[in-house]
Amino acid sequence: MTDSSSFSKSYNPDVLCCLANLSSDEVFTPPDIANAMLDLLPQELFQNPDTKFLDPCCKSGVFLREIAKRLIKGLEPVFPDLQERLNHIFKKQLYGIAPTTLTSLISRRSLYCSKDADSEYSVVHFDSPEGNIRFSNTRHIWKNGRCIFCGASKDVYDRECGLESHAYELIHLNKPEELFDMKFDVIIGNPPYQLNTFSETEIENKKKKQKNKQARPIYNLFVEQAKKLDPRYLCMIIPSRWFAGGMGLDDFRQSMMNDRGISRIVDYTNSKDCFPDISVSGGVCYFLRERDRSGDCEFTNITNDEKDSMVRPLNEFGTLVRFNKAVSIIHKIQSKHDAKLEEMISSLMPYGLSTSYRGKKNPPAEDALTLYSSDGISYITRSEICKGLESVDAYKILVSKTCAEHAGEPGKDGKFKVIPSSMKVLVPGEICTHSYFFVGCWKDRAQAENALSYLRTKFVRFLMLLCVSGYGLSKLVFQFVPMQDFSKPWTDEELYAKYGISAKEIAFIDSMIRPMEGDD
């Protein structure tokens, strides 16, 4: 018989607060966030001895542990004897899948008070070491150098059997329902966010290696597989980058935005407000999906410790707008039916020159083109570019494709700059590499300068912020920015008057956007 007081002591939430994250991709969930997510569920679930819970991506075991604590209290009237209650809860209600060997041991230690569920130290004795927290060292299935399930690179993850393959079991199955011969009422967890993949090319002459790294999101795969298990309630915490799509997330974004079963979303603009020790580009969010309901979603955004909630449809715009106070501003702009500035944005490789492309230090000919790259200025001939010839001899605005904010996070003052202040007008004969894109294509320099004044306004940068999902900028972040008459320069005051932006809405924009360098 386990003493009730000793059991409560073994469930010390401070222990899991102190765990260091395995990586920025496999993030331990703080106990307070796990409990906030559990608070979204109907609390009568924790009073029902038939409710079954699954964490399909156990890392610290925090979700199962906190569920157990609620069940222990909620089922006391049903099982007055504590040991009988524990046996029922751990053996018939709580299940988990661990992504790695290490996390399986940590999760069992958190839940059973022993890394081996059949140990004499386990709160409840199982007939196997894993108990109800399983781990299988699943292998990737390769085709053309990539895993057919998660897209992992064979060069990186084709490892010896004794090494972790990071082929997470749930997302490497065509029929995930075959994992367990049961239905789950609740699936809840914090899935791995991405797989870091890279290709490596040796450059023999320079005797060095060039690495092109790319992170492939996989959290969407966990959500999609969990839906196939058809739980009554699905609750997961994931990066918020899906709000704007991109990086293979467009279909996932459409699915989520059109899912009328999603009843709650809690979004953290700055991931450090949720996970203090790491930066997750674009912030993080957790959501509740209810299988048996259909309706609008209560969307809550938390920015600079301020919480703002609104019940609204998620699919009103092409991007899921995270700031509720911005919705009325967008409505006012769209009522004018102006063309969109995104029609004047170049592609992300406007002249077919990669980020690493460099010209010569000195002009090779009288008609040489000036090339802007991340290293500065160099010179190339026209014959070296394969696209964008129609804009070479025009005026345009050079914009870095890197967002001005680190991981989409606000500065210490809680405000965003969004777009780099290094924007400048390119004159005819000036072009750029993949490190930049450009706005417009004018024969008149005055129009380009007027457009530059427009891009520097808080009005434009606020509308861009609504579509920023991470480090990078592209034409997609301009989807809410209206076109203007560039025969004149623009100020925020003129734009606010044109679109009828109220004093309250202006105050909100001012609270979010920093002045650009050089502005009064």
Side-chain angles (χ1 to χ4, degrees):
M1 183 71 66
T2 302
D3 179 74
S4 176
S5 62
S6 64
F7 182 82
S8 63
K9 289 180 181 178
S10 69
Y11 277 76
N12 180 359
D14 292 336
V15 173
L16 298 189
C17 287
C18 298
L19 287 176
N21 290 305
L22 298 176
S23 70
S24 60
D25 306 328
E26 295 182 0
V27 180
F28 288 129
T29 310
D32 60 331
I33 297 297
N35 276 296
M37 294 169 64
L38 291 171
D39 288 343
L40 298 182
L41 298 169
Q43 296 306 292
E44 56 266 26
L45 290 169
F46 304 104
Q47 301 168 2
N48 186 341
D50 296 323
T51 307
K52 288 181 170 55
F53 300 83
L54 171 67
D55 180 351
C57 31
C58 287
K59 292 187 288 294
S60 69
V62 64
F63 288 103
L64 296 181
R65 189 193 71 173
E66 297 304 312
I67 292 169
K69 291 165 68 175
R70 296 184 184 219
L71 289 171
I72 289 167
K73 180 179 180 180
L75 294 182
E76 187 173 5
V78 182
F79 301 101
D81 180 80
L82 177 61
Q83 189 61 55
E84 182 184 3
R85 201 183 324 150
L86 298 179
N87 288 341
H88 178 86
I89 291 169
F90 288 144
K91 291 188 176 183
K92 296 185 178 181
Q93 292 189 268
L94 302 181
Y95 300 84
I97 305 172
T100 64
T101 302
L102 176 60
T103 55
S104 70
L105 299 176
I106 295 173
S107 296
R108 293 185 198 114
R109 177 65 180 82
S110 297
L111 186 62
Y112 306 138
C113 302
S114 172
K115 65 181 179 64
D116 295 319
D118 59 355
S119 163
E120 61 179 303
Y121 302 106
S122 177
V123 173
V124 170
H125 189 272
F126 286 83
D127 294 330
S128 67
E130 70 176 16
N132 281 347
I133 299 178
R134 60 181 289 156
F135 167 70
S136 174
N137 194 3
T138 308
R139 313 310 294 178
H140 296 282
I141 306 298
W142 307 115
K143 183 176 181 180
N144 299 324
R146 296 284 179 185
C147 175
I148 62 173
F149 290 104
C150 69
S153 168
K154 184 177 182 180
D155 290 341
V156 181
Y157 292 102
D158 190 14
R159 299 171 172 174
E160 300 175 15
C161 290
L163 299 177
E164 299 287 2
S165 65
H166 296 279
Y168 304 116
E169 187 173 19
L170 180 69
I171 63 173
H172 284 75
L173 295 168
N174 287 317
K175 297 181 178 180
E177 61 274 15
E178 295 179 354
L179 272 177
F180 297 93
D181 187 21
M182 66 183 71
K183 285 286 187 180
F184 292 100
D185 299 283
V186 178
I187 296 180
I188 188 168
N190 181 5
Y193 295 160
Q194 60 190 29
L195 281 177
N196 286 320
T197 63
F198 66 87
S199 61
E200 187 175 276
T201 304
E202 293 192 3
I203 305 174
E204 295 182 359
N205 293 336
K206 296 185 179 180
K207 295 183 178 180
K208 69 177 184 179
K209 296 178 181 179
Q210 183 181 40
K211 295 181 180 179
N212 297 315
K213 296 184 178 180
Q214 187 176 34
R216 179 186 296 269
I218 58 171
Y219 59 87
N220 52 308
L221 304 180
F222 280 87
V223 175
E224 290 164 352
Q225 290 290 81
K227 287 181 180 180
K228 292 180 182 179
L229 295 175
D230 197 31
R232 290 170 59 197
Y233 301 96
L234 171 60
C235 188
M236 285 191 174
I237 183 165
I238 58 178
S240 298
R241 293 192 67 176
W242 66 269
F243 291 179
M247 283 298 294
L249 293 171
D250 289 339
D251 289 343
F252 179 69
R253 177 192 60 192
Q254 289 298 320
S255 173
M256 293 288 283
M257 289 172 59
N258 290 300
D259 190 338
R260 300 283 286 171
I262 296 179
S263 59
R264 299 282 300 277
I265 293 180
V266 179
D267 168 48
Y268 291 82
T269 303
N270 188 344
S271 64
K272 289 184 178 177
D273 291 337
C274 186
F275 303 123
D277 298 327
I278 65 165
S279 291
V280 179
S281 180
V284 295
C285 68
Y286 55 85
F287 68 90
L288 175 65
R289 180 181 189 265
E290 302 180 48
R291 182 189 63 194
D292 301 324
R293 63 90 70 178
S294 177
D296 289 345
C297 175
E298 181 182 320
F299 189 94
T300 299
N301 173 259
I302 301 173
T303 301
N304 301 327
D305 295 325
E306 292 189 10
K307 182 182 294 187
D308 181 51
S309 297
M310 177 186 288
V311 176
R312 56 187 175 95
L314 297 178
N315 61 355
E316 183 175 9
F317 308 111
T319 290
L320 178 52
V321 175
R322 72 187 334 164
F323 301 115
N324 294 316
K325 294 176 182 177
V327 173
S328 62
I329 298 174
I330 297 173
H331 287 164
K332 290 179 178 180
I333 294 170
Q334 291 184 337
S335 70
K336 296 289 187 180
H337 303 290
D338 291 335
K340 298 294 186 294
L341 189 68
E342 65 178 324
E343 298 172 8
M344 299 187 71
I345 310 299
S346 74
S347 66
L348 279 183
M349 194 181 289
Y351 297 101
L353 304 176
S354 68
T355 300
S356 60
Y357 196 92
R358 299 293 181 268
K360 300 182 181 300
K361 291 184 178 180
N362 299 307
E366 289 186 4
D367 62 346
L369 303 178
T370 301
L371 176 67
Y372 285 85
S373 71
S374 57
D375 282 346
I377 292 175
S378 60
Y379 301 91
I380 66 173
T381 61
R382 289 177 184 259
S383 62
E384 293 178 72
I385 62 174
C386 59
K387 58 185 289 192
L389 291 170
E390 69 283 354
S391 65
V392 170
D393 294 314
Y395 292 93
K396 54 258 178 200
I397 302 169
L398 182 73
V399 183
S400 171
K401 72 173 185 177
T402 302
C403 182
E405 311 299 339
H406 174 63
E409 297 169 2
K412 293 181 180 179
D413 59 358
K415 298 183 179 183
F416 299 84
K417 185 167 64 175
V418 182
I419 197 167
S421 58
S422 59
M423 293 183 297
K424 63 170 295 180
V425 172
L426 294 185
V427 302
E430 295 183 334
I431 61 173
C432 61
T433 68
H434 185 37
S435 295
Y436 302 89
F437 61 95
F438 65 82
V439 180
C441 188
W442 297 279
K443 294 181 179 180
D444 180 8
R445 178 165 189 149
Q447 285 189 308
E449 295 286 358
N450 293 336
L452 179 59
S453 73
Y454 181 56
L455 291 177
R456 293 178 64 89
T457 62
K458 289 183 179 180
F459 174 83
V460 168
R461 291 183 288 124
F462 172 76
L463 295 176
M464 291 176 64
L465 176 64
L466 304 183
C467 304
V468 170
S469 62
Y471 294 99
L473 298 177
S474 70
K475 67 188 309 177
L476 294 177
V477 304
F478 292 87
Q479 62 185 277
F480 294 130
V481 180
M483 186 78 78
Q484 304 298 337
D485 175 7
F486 294 123
S487 65
K488 64 177 291 299
W490 288 91
T491 66
D492 280 310
E493 291 71 24
E494 291 173 315
L495 293 164
Y496 295 153
K498 176 179 178 178
Y499 294 102
I501 309 301
S502 69
K504 187 175 181 179
E505 291 166 337
I506 292 172
F508 176 61
I509 294 173
D510 286 341
S511 73
M512 299 294 291
I513 304 297
R514 292 202 305 269
M516 294 207 71
E517 295 176 13
D519 291 351
D520 294 331

